[in-house]
Amino acid sequence: MSAETAETAEPTEPTADSAAAASRRSEQRGWYFYDFACSVYSTSVLTVFIGPYLTSIAKAAADTDGFVHPLGIPVRAGSLFAYAVSVSVVVAVIVMPIVGAAADRTGRKKPLLAVAAYTGAAATTGMFFLDGHRYLLGAFLLIVANAAISVSMVLYNAYLPQIAEPEERDAVSSRGWAFGYTSGALVLVLNLVLYTGHDSFGLSQSDAVRICLASAGLWWGAFTLVPLRRLRDRRVTAGGEGAVGSGWRQLMATLRDMRRHPLTLSFLLAYLVYNDGVQTVISQASVYGSEELGLDQTTLITAVLLVQVLAVAGALGMGRLARSYGAKRTILGSLVVWTLILVAGYFLPAGAPVFFYALASAIGLVLGGSQALSRSLFSHLVPRGKEAEYFSAYEMSDRGLSWLGPLVFGLAYQLTGSYRDAIISLVIFFVVGSVLLARVPIRRAVAAAGNPVPERI
């Protein structure tokens, strides 16, 4: 009888495990689609269209000296976009700990994700109304949309530990990343068709740009419905302090704890500096290409498409290099390439798309790999049991503290009136970041965090 009972009881546990695995896979598929939804903002809006277009609107509204006066402050029209990006990141820095604490305390990440996503999508869709001299409206919508996507990504990433087992997370995270690059490339192709054929569609060039901007917002909002339908919130124990206070206290407590792991903190500082340079190059490249090099929108779109495709190949290639030479050396090598890219960009001749494509290819080859390897290297420096809070600080470095680069770029142009001077000013981020990273004894840092030291790192 007991043998019979054991026989009938055996399938029960696997069935429960299978149901849990199926539930996880369903949430994972929904989770991928948020990257698919919002990545079009990063590619079509931030990287390609809004920089040159907002700059052209600001220049149309500028006085005879080339200045606009938002809130009575004299700003060179060509610096407006960089300043707006910088302000948006400061707004995100203020809001992210508050929203993160509210999500942790209530367990209701999904409604907060919906608010952040649809705030950003609405602001992006509203860019359709940017015409004439409405540079203030453009700057405001950019600040709102850029801050909203940063906040939404904190909430989005917070789902990963809940929907994937530890051994699944690398694969799940990579698939989400791939979904984002796929949607970014797909929408850019559609943008390219609309922009290059705007006459045949009965549209002006300005109309085509505004439709491309607004369509990114509509795409973001439409595909956000998929994760909102598939993801589910988990119950948490209520109580404690308010979200605002606890958010900042949690962040400060994490930074205080990092003082017990100074080598981990040293790596995070290095990452903060060189990643600021990376993010600024990506956001300001289209303005440099259009304003300084005189390249048309078609060239910029195809160059970004090239970056999208090569970023995947570059990440895989740099992953192989890391297995042979270690992640630290590979990242340092990529920072040398980033520096050379900026120097080459400074000397790039105007009206020469072939050279711009070559530069875009180099960016693509180091972009995905430098960021992917930085994240994996940091994972070795996190003490066990503190993964969530340390990665929250990492996320703040990745998305929330990249304001200094756009500010430096904007100030350089403000003072010199030259985008070449502005682009070469960013070299400092890669030089300082390289020096700081080179000084971190990675093997000792891994051991100090209490983790096993890999044979090659």
Side-chain angles (χ1 to χ4, degrees), residues 382-433:
V382 177
R384 288 184 182 178
K386 295 183 179 291
E387 293 84 0
E389 57 183 282
Y390 272 58
F391 267 103
S392 292
Y394 182 85
E395 181 67 24
M396 287 283 286
S397 298
D398 187 22
R399 291 222 169 230
L401 296 180
S402 298
W403 58 270
L404 187 57
L407 181 62
V408 168
F409 186 92
L411 282 172
Y413 182 77
Q414 172 102 357
L415 296 173
T416 68
S418 167
Y419 280 109
R420 292 187 187 273
D421 291 339
I423 203 74
I424 201 66
S425 70
L426 301 178
V427 165
I428 190 66
F429 291 94
F430 296 104
V431 172
V432 173

Side-chain angles (χ1 to χ4, degrees), residues 227-246:
L228 292 180
R229 184 176 179 82
R230 291 286 185 97
L231 294 172
R232 61 185 182 85
D233 285 330
R234 276 75 175 169
R235 291 179 180 275
V236 296
T237 305
E241 299 174 8
V244 174
S246 64

Side-chain angles (χ1 to χ4, degrees), residues 270 273-274 277 332 335-336 338-340 342-343 424-438:
V273 173
Y274 69 73
L332 285 170
L335 297 182
V336 172
W338 276 109
T339 303
L340 294 174
L342 291 177
V343 173
I424 201 66
S425 70
L426 301 178
V427 165
I428 190 66
F429 291 94
F430 296 104
V431 172
V432 173
S434 296
V435 171
L436 292 174
L437 178 59

Side-chain angles (χ1 to χ4, degrees), residues 121-135:
T124 306
T125 305
M127 291 177 185
F128 178 79
F129 299 103
L130 299 184
D131 57 6
H133 293 177
R134 295 178 177 174
Y135 73 91

